């Protein structure tokens, strides 16, 4: 299989997994296969193997603390939810949360960390549940950002503008 060939090539060091072009190609392949794997159990297994190689490449190419790791760990968690591998999903939501704390701050200061803490504590069991939770989180962020109708926020802005004039 293609996934086995990729794994073998990386093991025999024909290609170095540290090389960003290998990472980019594996990432692209895994995304394409992930779409096709929804209906095909064999492709799901191969897709998981490709994602394992992407994960390995990320660990080798990015520094220990890097924001892209947050995004990829969260992406891997989402993919594992899609593949029905809920233990792996929890593992990667937890990794994303742990990395988010290191690179963007604790949940008390950062919405991303707060959201990932929820997913790490209680990962979604279905794609539908995951989408609903992301939708609710997006609404929460939008509500926090919409201060146009918030009289207190408008007063603070007005007071700040008066100080600078």
């Amino acid at each position: 299989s293609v996934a086995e060939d990729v794994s073998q090539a990386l093991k025999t060091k024909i290609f170095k997994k540290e090389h960003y072009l290998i990472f980019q190609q594996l990432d692209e392949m895994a995304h394409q296969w992930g779409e096709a794997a929804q209906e095909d159990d064999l492709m799901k297994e191969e897709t998981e193997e490709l994602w394992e190689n992407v994960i390995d490449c990320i660990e080798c190419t990015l520094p220990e603390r890097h924001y892209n790791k947050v995004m990829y760990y969260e992406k891997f968690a989402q993919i594992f939810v899609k593949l029905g591998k809920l233990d792996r999903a929890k593992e990667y939501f937890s990794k994303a949360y742990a990395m988010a704390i290191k690179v963007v701050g604790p949940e008390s200061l950062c919405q991303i960390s707060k959201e990932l803490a929820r997913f790490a504590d209680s990962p979604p069991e279905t794609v539908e549940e995951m989408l609903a939770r992301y939708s609710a989180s997006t609404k929460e962020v939008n509500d926090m950002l919409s201060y146009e109708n918030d009289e207190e926020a408008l007063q603070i802005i007005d007071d700040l503008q008066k100080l600078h004039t």
Side-chain angles (χ1 to χ4, degrees), residues 115-134:
E115 178 181 298
L116 288 171
R118 289 184 209 152
F119 278 96
D121 288 341
S122 177
E125 295 184 10
T126 64
V127 172
E128 294 77 18
E129 179 187 352
M130 182 170 59
L131 292 173
R133 288 173 65 180
Y134 277 116

Side-chain angles (χ1 to χ4, degrees), residues 11-41:
K11 286 178 187 165
T12 58
K13 305 222 187 259
I14 293 170
F15 303 108
K16 288 187 175 185
K17 60 187 171 189
E18 293 85 356
H19 199 288
Y20 73 95
L21 290 175
I22 298 297
F23 162 73
Q24 288 176 342
Q25 187 60 42
L26 287 174
D27 182 55
E28 182 64 30
M29 284 175 59
H31 274 90
Q32 290 173 0
W33 282 36
E35 295 302 315
Q38 292 180 22
E39 305 299 322
D40 185 337
D41 287 337

Side-chain angles (χ1 to χ4, degrees), residues 4 13 18 42 44 63 75 86 90 132 147 150 160:
E4 289 171 343
K13 305 222 187 259
E18 293 85 356
L42 181 59
K44 283 182 182 178
K75 183 190 300 187
L86 301 182
K90 182 175 179 63
Y147 59 85
D150 185 341
L160 287 171

Side-chain angles (χ1 to χ4, degrees), residues 7-129:
S7 294
Q8 187 61 35
L10 291 172
K11 286 178 187 165
T12 58
K13 305 222 187 259
I14 293 170
F15 303 108
K16 288 187 175 185
K17 60 187 171 189
E18 293 85 356
H19 199 288
Y20 73 95
L21 290 175
I22 298 297
F23 162 73
Q24 288 176 342
Q25 187 60 42
L26 287 174
D27 182 55
E28 182 64 30
M29 284 175 59
H31 274 90
Q32 290 173 0
W33 282 36
E35 295 302 315
Q38 292 180 22
E39 305 299 322
D40 185 337
D41 287 337
L42 181 59
M43 280 203 78
K44 283 182 182 178
E45 289 177 30
E46 290 213 20
T47 300
E48 185 175 356
E49 189 173 340
L50 278 173
W51 279 114
E52 294 293 336
N53 285 312
V54 173
I55 292 166
D56 196 30
C57 286
I58 282 178
E59 296 297 342
C60 292
T61 56
L62 294 177
E64 182 181 336
R65 292 176 182 218
H66 199 284
Y67 183 74
N68 285 351
K69 284 186 175 182
V70 175
M71 294 185 303
Y72 273 100
Y73 291 155
E74 184 176 15
K75 183 190 300 187
F76 298 147
Q78 295 165 359
I79 289 162
F80 285 124
V81 168
K82 188 175 183 179
L83 293 173
K85 307 270 185 170
L86 301 182
D87 288 344
R88 299 298 309 274
K90 182 175 179 63
E91 173 188 349
Y92 279 96
F93 278 125
S94 296
K95 281 186 166 198
Y97 170 62
M99 184 61 63
I101 289 173
K102 293 176 185 176
V103 297
V104 295
E107 59 265 28
S108 60
L109 299 175
C110 179
Q111 184 63 28
I112 293 168
S113 297
K114 182 178 179 181
E115 178 181 298
L116 288 171
R118 289 184 209 152
F119 278 96
D121 288 341
S122 177
E125 295 184 10
T126 64
V127 172
E128 294 77 18
E129 179 187 352

